[in-house]
Amino acid sequence: MPSDTTKALILLLALLHAKSLPGVYTLRSLSYFIKARNLTEPAIGLLEASKYHSRVWFDDLDLNIHLNNSSYNKMMDYARIQLCTLLFPGWQHRHKFDMCLAQTVLFFKAEVPRLSKYTITSRIFAWDDKWIWMQHRFSIKRKTRPVRKTLEIAAAVEQGIGNGDGAAPVRDEDVVVEEEDEDDIDPIDAKASKSTINSLSQVNMGSHPNDAIADMPDKLCCIAYSRMVAKHPKGKTIVPVNLFEKMGHKEAYPGEWEQYRQLGMSLIEGMMKIGDPTADLPPAPRRLVNPTRARI
């Protein structure tokens, strides 16, 4: 019989890796269908986004001690299921069609640190006569603090320069704020306001200079795209536009869907060329011959 210490270690190991235990993935996936079992109409509009919140736990870490690659895909599964249950209530048990994943593409911009909370913002991004593309944006809360030059502070303390507590004052040039990428602000998010964008340059100072924190939009860590297809039980493909109308989605304004779709497809079409096996490959470089060994 294992000792009490061994049992405690096994229990601790199981708790630290609870998200990866057998059956947890299935139970978590089913929980979204259970929560949405009473929905008869879409909970969100076709062009709206859903947000999935999670935290980087011990079984999500890789060798660099941040969110590993497999966890990105696993969490995207949960985010996709949540989005589908909100957009298409009863899509499996009542309407009896399947949403099948055909492809995922991920672009990493920054790490998701250990034990940090992160949000996956998912939405339908584009569609054509067969495929539905979903976008997933992994983001974390961003807080930047002033960084003071260590050598200058040490020299100031030795010389007795600074405030009464012996600390050198914080100067504007010592405050480091990360530069914003254009992708950090969602260009097609209808709810994005000018106040959010203007907050990039606003800094709220705390009671102490070392507590200076900049209020900024969430930091974008990864942009991912999922290519999905709706399948009838007999295996036939359901045209996305017909699916949207059947599930109760209606355009708020004439041409709204088409304008949104074209905006998304302009990116998707370029991205698809990267993974197209039929695309023309660049000519192979000519083999360089060492002139000293070339035959005459």
Side-chain angles (χ1 to χ4, degrees):
M1 292 294 293
S3 63
D4 293 341
T5 303
T6 303
K7 293 179 180 179
L9 290 176
I10 294 175
L11 179 60
L12 178 61
L13 187 64
L15 291 175
L16 293 178
H17 295 76
K19 293 167 61 177
S20 301
L21 292 177
V24 172
Y25 175 87
T26 303
L27 292 175
R28 290 186 65 176
S29 300
L30 290 175
S31 66
Y32 297 106
F33 294 101
I34 295 174
K35 292 177 182 178
R37 66 185 182 278
N38 295 325
L39 287 178
T40 57
E41 296 181 355
I44 59 176
L46 181 68
L47 307 185
E48 295 182 13
S50 69
K51 293 184 180 293
Y52 177 84
H53 304 281
S54 187
R55 182 186 290 274
V56 181
W57 206 232
F58 289 93
D59 51 353
D60 291 322
L61 300 178
D62 61 5
L63 295 178
N64 295 319
I65 320 298
H66 56 226
L67 187 65
N68 62 54
N69 297 335
S70 62
S71 291
Y72 279 94
N73 286 280
K74 182 170 64 175
M75 295 300 113
M76 281 167 56
D77 270 350
Y78 299 140
R80 277 190 295 265
I81 295 173
Q82 176 180 279
L83 179 61
C84 287
T85 54
L86 296 176
L87 287 172
F88 315 128
W91 56 282
Q92 274 198 325
H93 65 277
R94 189 162 59 245
H95 297 279
K96 300 186 183 304
F97 67 88
D98 297 322
M99 294 294 295
C100 304
L101 178 65
Q103 182 182 14
T104 57
V105 182
L106 293 89
F107 299 92
F108 299 103
K109 296 175 62 64
E111 67 172 357
V112 181
R114 58 187 178 275
L115 304 181
S116 62
K117 293 182 179 180
Y118 62 93
T119 300
I120 307 176
T121 304
S122 304
R123 60 156 56 86
I124 288 183
F125 190 73
W127 62 88
D128 54 22
D129 294 336
K130 178 180 179 180
W131 303 107
I132 299 174
W133 285 89
M134 296 182 179
Q135 184 196 66
H136 313 277
R137 299 170 66 90
F138 290 74
S139 59
I140 59 176
K141 293 293 183 182
R142 187 210 316 260
K143 291 183 179 180
T144 59
R145 295 179 180 275
V147 179
R148 296 187 292 175
K149 299 177 182 179
T150 306
L151 296 178
E152 291 185 1
I153 295 174
V157 171
E158 290 180 0
Q159 298 175 8
I161 302 174
N163 300 329
D165 56 359
V170 177
R171 303 177 304 178
D172 292 340
E173 57 267 28
D174 296 330
V175 179
V176 178
V177 179
E178 298 181 11
E179 294 184 357
E180 291 296 319
D181 292 335
E182 292 181 357
D183 291 336
D184 284 8
I185 299 177
D186 192 345
I188 59 175
D189 189 354
K191 296 183 179 180
S193 61
K194 293 184 178 180
S195 60
T196 302
I197 300 174
N198 293 336
S199 65
L200 293 174
S201 59
Q202 295 177 358
V203 177
N204 296 331
M205 303 297 291
S207 58
H208 189 275
N210 288 343
D211 296 330
I213 298 176
D215 293 333
M216 289 184 166
D218 291 352
K219 182 179 181 62
L220 181 63
C221 298
C222 173
I223 302 179
Y225 298 91
S226 303
R227 186 167 63 153
M228 309 284 292
V229 61
K231 287 285 187 179
H232 190 270
K234 294 183 179 181
K236 296 182 179 180
T237 300
I238 304 175
V239 179
V241 175
N242 297 340
L243 174 67
F244 301 156
E245 294 177 352
K246 181 179 179 180
M247 299 305 298
H249 292 283
K250 297 181 180 179
E251 290 187 82
Y253 305 98
E256 180 188 21
W257 286 4
E258 182 60 21
Q259 183 180 5
Y260 184 94
R261 188 191 73 83
Q262 290 181 2
L263 179 63
M265 287 304 298
S266 62
L267 171 65
I268 296 299
E269 289 173 356
M271 185 175 61
M272 285 296 293
K273 293 180 181 178
I274 300 175
D276 186 2
T278 63
D280 294 334
L281 297 176
R286 297 180 57 185
R287 181 179 178 184
L288 299 179
V289 180
N290 189 340
T292 61
R293 299 181 59 185
R295 295 183 180 181
I296 300 176

